Amino acid sequence: MSKSSKRIFYFGHKRVDGRGTMRELLGGKGANLAEMTRLGLPVPPGFTICTRTCLEVLENNGAIPAGLHDELDKNIQRLQKDCGRMFGDEKNPLLVSVRSGAANSMPGMMDTILNLGLNDRSVEGLARLSKDRRFALDAYRRLIQMYGDVVMSVDHHHFEQALDGIKKQQQVENDAELNEAALEQLIQQYKIIFKQHTKQDFPQRPQEQLEMSIASVFNSWNTPRARRYREIHAISDQLGTAVNIQSMVFGNLGETSASGVAFTRNPADGSNQLYGEFLINAQGEDVVAGIRTPQTMRALSDWNRDIYKQLKSIKKILEAHYHDMQDIEFTIEQGRLYMLQTRTGKRSGHAALKIAVQMVKEGLIKKKTAIMRLTAEDLNQLLLPSFDPAATRTVIARGLPASPGAASGKLAFSSEEVVERSNNGEAVILVRHETSADDIDGMHAARGILTATGGATSHAAVVARGWGKCCITGVAALQIDTARRRVIIDDISYGPDDVVSLDGNTGEVMTGAIALINPELSGDFATLMKWTDRYRTLGVRCNADTPADAERGRQLGAEGIGLCRTEHMFFDPQRIQSMREMILADDLESRQKALKKLLPYQRRDFEGLLMAMDGLPVTIRLLDPPLHEFLPTDKQDIVELAKSLGVSQTLIRQRISELHESNPMLGNRGCRLSICYPEILHMQVSAIVEATINCLRKQSQVKPQIMIPLTGFASELGYLKPLVLDCIAEVKKRKRFSDTLDIPVGTMIEVPRAALTAAEMAEHAEFFSFGTNDLTQMTLGFSRDDAGSFLSTYLHRNILPRDPFQSLDSVGVGQLIRLAVKQGRKSRKNLSCGICGEHGGDPDSIHFCHQVGLDYVSCSPFRVPIARLAAAQAALVKKK
């Protein structure tokens, strides 16, 4: 067999076929099992069936491909020799686990089968070998349940009902308390359930169990929950999963055995300590399933100090090798430690930042690596508000702070309920006894997650941290009645209309909503931002319409304002009255009279913005939306407006009718308004210049820029720019200001024609700012307000890779930007070019902006740190 057609890669004491670099072929789990074996760590031997085989199986309608049977036999024989046991043997049975392992970690999304190889005869051999018949019977009943659920699609609730019945009959609470007789009875019930739902007996041939399990794990790649997880995380469907067959070691072999999950650093806050949980006398699935609340690593140190020391040593080995925080699974079998998995650990944004900065200081990674390791989602979590420490808290319960953050919302009791209520605009908290992979949609839609059981490594915790969702687990005080949609805490009942707040940093559950505060850019966050500024070449500005937004943007590192939308300044109750008066005026004199009332407001607004950005550029866009947007549509509002202005309702309705447009996006807006009503331009430019002069006289180094929107013809700029310059000169003269005023006049490129004729536009414009919201609409023919009716279908069917209003269409719209920059700079060598649409805060779009040579990006103040990070990453990628 050629190397390229090799399907199975072995890892054991004397032979290791794979390496840690073979993630795409062996999946993350398989590659790391091979790598840990190479490092000399205690890994039970086994083999990995590669991801290529998964795609073969899926193309073959779920059947095992020809030739794999012989390869399986050869590797089972190799495994038997390594372990000194025989697969399915009555005296000395070899048992194996079958686990999935994709290249990208997908916790809980695909299926696992443990204890495979047991049957009615080998279970007795396992009992004699382990000298613990109860353990052997427990292993057998687990296999029947897992195999029935995963391979044969028997709903696990049928098995759970039988288990609950036996426990009730035996008057015990935990599975571990069931005696041999009870387990024998449970096995018989499980076999009956299996046959009722599959019309066949539980298979007694280990080879049949193995092949069916392999096919099932491959097919689990395409389960709805796995597909949904990949959709959320933008993971390709074409990667496939590997399957790992590994010799079993047992954490449920008495009180000197245990199973656990740990992180080499705290995944919630990033502190450098071994962090995790374990369960004595339990198999690994018990820990992550959340059905029992496990013990912490501190308790492990008390229980078995030698094992704890060994794990701490392994922590150092793994971090030194992988240069990152690791998520590990381990089993302790009668006092002996085995490593079952290592992978890059999912962590909160707070932990991601702390770990990256720590590892630079420890010499494990370089600053460039730290920058490349952080994601927009990580910073997004850091920028989310937290509860105000001064606010009153009424704590009703406490659990484990499994994922940091702050969340308030009403209680919801199922995944479906969360999705429905969230779609209706409600903020909801998902409450469950424990979550499973089937809750994926509800967890994604919820503001926060609250579970009665489980620990910091349970399914809910791991997924929540990866998404930056606030999560509290193991709240023992919760009594959940899903049928009645109620939660009872200390005899008090809470239902779907009750609001609770979750503090994922403390584990506190509180009644009511709690006031939030914005985070500050300090500590490790500030350190990382300094590093990004060292490497990035793109400037980062913010879009701001108020001094408060400008100050917030500057606090977060904005180097100016890339877009001030002046229309947002007119919706104050006093201002809108004067604006409507101007629109309803039927002659120039009346319009100018109304505009004169607006000028002081505009001047004060501009002074505030310019002072907030003292020393930095402030790009002010002249009025952009059509005038009808400022007029009322409600009947009562029209009555009140007529009364306040002393005009007839008929006049107002007539003016509304005159201004009505079939397609306002393409109507009388932007530069067209200034051409039709130059008095509006005159008022706004006068306010800008007066504000500038006032600030300069206060010794402020203000830098205003005037932007004319929606131009598509150089002649529009040729007509309007002289009006702007004349107004600047007029105000200077009136204000007796003799110093030079440097106020560049540029344009917003948002019409495709403007991009295509950029060389002509640049003869008049001193800067270009790409308004990619409208440029996307006009280029694609998509309305941003109406595209929701079909965009989800486009994305689901892979017609579009991403929403073009969230991430720039670099092929189509991007080609216009690239052309405009190139042609514009031919006409004007020092032409400044930036982007001020919503794409200015999207990392992928920022990478494109860096590639085409823009000078800056501008985004909402909240996303400024994300833009700084993405700009640095773009520079580092290009350099590499």
Side-chain angles (χ1 to χ4, degrees):
M1 179 179 293
S2 68
K3 188 175 181 179
S4 62
S5 61
K6 183 179 176 71
R7 292 192 180 100
I8 298 181
F9 295 75
Y10 191 82
F11 55 89
H13 308 308
K14 297 179 181 179
R15 174 175 175 169
V16 185
D17 294 336
R19 289 187 174 276
T21 54
M22 300 167 68
R23 291 177 61 85
E24 289 194 8
L25 185 63
L26 302 182
K29 187 187 294 284
N32 287 330
L33 284 169
E35 195 71 7
M36 282 198 296
T37 305
R38 288 181 180 275
L39 289 171
L41 300 183
V43 178
F47 53 88
T48 300
I49 309 175
C50 71
T51 55
R52 283 197 303 254
T53 313
C54 175
L55 303 179
E56 285 186 81
V57 169
L58 296 177
E59 289 170 4
N60 202 26
N61 296 318
I64 295 291
L68 186 59
H69 305 275
D70 293 339
E71 285 187 72
L72 276 174
D73 287 343
K74 288 178 184 178
N75 282 277
I76 285 290
Q77 289 172 24
R78 188 174 289 136
L79 188 58
Q80 289 174 153
K81 188 175 181 180
D82 250 5
C83 297
R85 296 179 181 178
M86 301 296 289
F87 194 44
D89 190 61
E90 296 178 33
K91 295 180 180 179
N92 189 19
L94 168 68
L95 305 185
V96 299
S97 62
V98 180
R99 289 185 170 96
S100 65
N104 298 89
S105 176
M106 297 172 59
M109 292 303 110
M110 293 178 289
D111 296 317
T112 294
I113 301 103
L114 303 178
N115 309 323
L116 195 140
L118 280 176
N119 55 29
D120 292 346
R121 290 174 298 180
S122 61
V123 70
E124 300 300 337
L126 181 63
R128 288 190 295 272
L129 191 68
S130 64
K131 299 178 183 178
D132 187 342
R133 191 164 187 273
R134 191 215 162 275
F135 152 73
L137 293 170
D138 186 50
Y140 194 21
R141 69 94 183 170
R142 287 171 183 264
L143 170 63
I144 299 170
Q145 179 173 352
M146 285 187 184
Y147 189 91
D149 177 16
V150 173
V151 180
M152 304 304 294
S153 301
V154 180
D155 195 309
H156 69 93
H157 291 300
H158 298 299
F159 296 109
E160 292 295 336
Q161 286 175 351
L163 177 60
D164 290 341
I166 291 287
K167 287 196 289 189
K168 189 174 182 180
Q169 177 186 316
Q170 295 289 313
Q171 297 182 336
V172 299
E173 290 187 10
N174 296 322
D175 306 359
E177 297 176 278
L178 293 174
N179 58 29
E180 289 180 28
L183 287 169
E184 285 178 335
Q185 184 181 349
L186 186 60
I187 287 169
Q188 294 309 312
Q189 288 189 23
Y190 275 10
K191 286 182 177 179
I192 291 170
I193 291 169
F194 188 95
K195 187 163 187 176
Q196 282 177 341
H197 293 275
T198 66
K199 310 304 179 187
Q200 55 186 281
D201 293 322
F202 178 76
Q204 296 295 300
R205 291 181 58 249
Q207 287 79 5
E208 179 185 349
Q209 293 177 12
L210 180 61
E211 291 189 5
M212 290 288 288
S213 297
I214 290 168
S216 177
V217 173
F218 277 142
N219 285 313
S220 73
W221 176 254
N222 272 344
T223 59
R225 69 186 188 220
R227 294 182 69 90
R228 177 61 178 144
Y229 188 92
R230 293 199 296 275
E231 181 182 328
I232 291 169
H233 290 272
I235 298 172
S236 170
D237 290 339
Q238 303 305 311
L239 293 175
T241 183
V243 175
N244 300 285
I245 290 88
Q246 193 172 16
S247 54
M248 285 293 302
V249 287
F250 299 98
N252 57 338
L253 202 53
E255 294 303 308
T256 60
S257 301
S259 290
V261 174
F263 295 83
T264 57
R265 303 195 185 209
N266 189 314
D269 64 22
S271 55
N272 188 2
Q273 60 185 19
L274 194 62
Y275 177 93
E277 299 166 328
F278 76 106
L279 281 171
I280 297 171
N281 197 18
Q283 286 201 313
E285 292 302 298
D286 297 339
V287 183
V288 296
I291 56 178
R292 288 166 60 188
T293 300
Q295 300 183 67
T296 65
M297 285 290 105
R298 185 174 298 175
L300 176 62
S301 177
D302 296 334
W303 178 68
N304 191 320
R305 183 169 292 274
D306 289 340
I307 292 291
Y308 182 73
K309 286 182 178 178
Q310 191 178 355
L311 277 171
K312 287 186 72 174
S313 175
I314 289 172
K315 158 188 155 62
K316 290 183 179 179
I317 293 170
L318 290 174
E319 285 199 346
H321 184 75
Y322 287 101
H323 305 289
D324 203 354
M325 182 262 273
Q326 295 295 293
D327 170 1
I328 62 176
E329 291 182 17
F330 61 91
T331 287
I332 302 160
E333 181 180 287
Q334 296 183 325
R336 185 175 178 183
L337 176 67
Y338 293 93
M339 298 296 295
L340 302 184
Q341 173 175 282
T342 190
R343 61 186 175 189
T344 301
K346 293 191 179 298
R347 65 207 76 178
S348 70
H350 293 269
L353 174 64
K354 189 175 186 67
I355 290 168
V357 174
Q358 274 182 346
M359 286 190 166
V360 170
K361 293 176 180 177
E362 293 165 16
L364 282 174
I365 60 175
K366 301 291 186 183
K367 290 175 184 176
K368 294 179 181 179
T369 304
I371 291 170
M372 296 304 295
R373 188 167 287 175
L374 272 292
T375 67
E377 289 73 24
D378 291 330
L379 293 198
N380 197 47
Q381 291 178 40
L382 292 166
L383 293 164
L384 291 174
S386 58
F387 290 137
D388 185 347
T392 301
R393 296 186 176 209
T394 304
V395 179
I396 55 175
R398 286 180 172 83
L400 298 172
S403 182
S408 298
K410 295 181 179 179
L411 300 174
F413 297 84
S414 71
S415 181
E416 294 77 14
E417 181 186 355
V418 171
V419 172
E420 181 180 352
R421 292 173 65 183
S422 294
N423 288 340
N424 290 331
E426 282 189 84
V428 288
I429 303 292
L430 175 63
V431 184
R432 302 286 280 161
H433 188 71
E434 75 272 347
T435 64
S436 71
D438 293 327
D439 291 313
I440 182 87
D441 283 323
M443 295 173 73
H444 193 248
R447 293 290 177 89
I449 301 160
L450 180 64
T451 69
T453 61
T457 57
S458 65
H459 175 266
V462 172
V463 173
R465 277 194 298 272
W467 286 343
K469 295 275 182 183
C470 175
C471 178
I472 300 175
T473 61
V475 184
L478 284 184
Q479 298 178 47
I480 303 171
D481 186 340
T482 304
R484 292 177 56 236
R485 297 172 70 212
R486 310 297 299 174
V487 165
I488 299 171
I489 303 173
D490 293 336
D491 298 326
I492 299 176
S493 179
Y494 302 88
D497 292 325
D498 291 307
V499 175
V500 300
S501 293
L502 310 182
D503 190 331
N505 302 300
T506 66
E508 293 176 324
V509 183
M510 297 149 285
T511 56
I514 297 175
L516 297 167
I517 58 172
N518 287 321
E520 295 298 326
L521 202 159
S522 59
D524 290 338
F525 199 171
T527 298
L528 179 79
M529 287 294 101
K530 286 180 182 177
W531 294 348
T532 64
D533 293 344
R534 181 181 303 177
Y535 294 107
R536 68 181 172 89
T537 56
L538 263 178
V540 177
R541 303 184 189 179
C542 69
N543 298 339
D545 313 320
T546 66
D549 282 347
E551 288 168 7
R552 182 64 181 152
R554 187 160 191 166
Q555 288 168 2
L556 294 173
E559 299 162 317
I561 293 176
L563 174 63
C564 166
R565 292 153 291 205
T566 54
E567 60 271 11
H568 289 183
M569 299 171 172
F570 294 123
F571 287 100
D572 175 271
Q574 286 183 307
R575 304 181 190 196
I576 194 69
Q577 189 80 346
S578 298
M579 188 67 175
R580 288 169 173 172
E581 184 181 340
M582 185 273 295
I583 295 170
L584 294 171
D586 55 7
D587 59 56
L588 175 61
E589 185 180 351
S590 299
R591 278 197 297 276
Q592 288 176 328
K593 183 179 178 181
L595 287 166
K596 193 173 182 180
K597 296 178 184 177
L598 287 170
L599 191 145
Y601 294 120
Q602 287 266 275
R603 182 177 60 232
R604 189 162 61 246
D605 290 335
F606 296 142
E607 282 185 28
L609 285 170
L610 291 167
M611 293 291 282
M613 285 291 173
D614 187 17
L616 299 174
V618 176
T619 304
I620 301 168
R621 182 178 72 185
L622 300 181
L623 190 65
D624 182 54
L627 295 180
H628 69 80
E629 290 192 5
F630 298 98
L631 293 177
T633 55
D634 182 77
K635 183 178 180 181
Q636 186 58 37
D637 289 342
I638 291 174
V639 171
E640 292 176 3
L641 179 61
K643 185 177 179 181
S644 65
L645 293 181
V647 298
S648 68
Q649 295 176 38
T650 302
L651 173 64
I652 295 174
R653 290 195 176 93
Q654 180 182 341
R655 189 66 174 137
I656 291 171
S657 177
E658 289 171 357
L659 293 173
H660 173 76
E661 295 177 331
S662 298
N663 191 338
M665 189 186 83
L666 303 178
N668 192 1
R669 52 171 288 221
C671 68
R672 302 155 201 167
L673 277 175
S674 293
I675 291 172
C676 294
Y677 304 101
E679 56 272 21
I680 297 176
L681 175 145
H682 191 276
M683 182 276 289
Q684 290 198 293
V685 173
S686 296
I688 293 169
V689 179
E690 288 181 19
T692 302
I693 292 172
N694 290 346
C695 291
L696 289 170
R697 283 175 171 166
K698 295 175 185 176
Q699 306 303 309
S700 294
Q701 301 302 310
V702 295
K703 297 181 178 180
Q705 299 179 330
I706 295 174
M707 182 158 67
I708 300 172
L710 210 73
T711 54
F713 298 87
S715 55
E716 290 170 324
L717 276 176
Y719 178 83
L720 291 173
K721 186 177 179 181
L723 296 184
V724 173
L725 297 177
D726 287 347
C727 185
I728 292 173
E730 176 191 320
V731 175
K732 276 187 66 179
K733 183 177 181 180
R734 177 164 45 83
K735 298 282 285 185
R736 296 179 180 178
F737 189 81
S738 58
D739 292 347
T740 301
L741 270 186
D742 182 16
I743 304 179
V745 180
T747 190
M748 200 168 186
I749 304 289
E750 46 197 325
V751 175
R753 190 184 190 281
L756 294 170
T757 59
E760 296 174 30
M761 305 295 281
E763 291 176 6
H764 303 281
E766 294 170 75
F767 64 86
F768 285 171
S769 180
F770 292 93
T772 50
N773 300 341
D774 272 353
L775 190 58
T776 296
Q777 291 191 102
M778 294 191 188
T779 304
L780 301 186
F782 289 179
S783 164
R784 190 167 43 152
D785 297 322
D786 301 321
S789 62
F790 61 85
L791 261 183
S792 59
T793 303
Y794 270 48
L795 297 172
H796 180 69
R797 295 179 181 172
N798 293 320
I799 294 170
L800 287 177
R802 291 188 63 183
D803 183 340
F805 294 108
Q806 293 182 10
S807 190
L808 189 70
D809 166 34
S810 58
V811 176
V813 177
Q815 190 173 163
L816 289 173
I817 294 173
R818 191 185 299 273
L819 176 67
V821 171
K822 184 178 179 181
Q823 295 300 319
R825 285 178 175 160
K826 280 185 178 179
S827 290
R828 188 183 292 267
K829 288 185 179 180
N830 61 345
L831 181 73
S832 172
C833 296
I835 179 176
C836 62
E838 293 301 318
H839 304 92
D842 170 63
D844 288 344
S845 304
I846 291 169
H847 278 249
F848 171 81
C849 293
H850 178 88
Q851 291 168 9
V852 299
L854 295 191
D855 295 293
Y856 68 88
V857 297
S858 189
C859 56
S860 67
F862 177 77
R863 296 190 69 82
V864 165
I866 294 170
R868 291 166 70 187
L869 174 68
Q873 290 173 338
L876 290 172
V877 166
K878 188 172 183 180
K879 187 175 181 181
K880 185 178 179 180

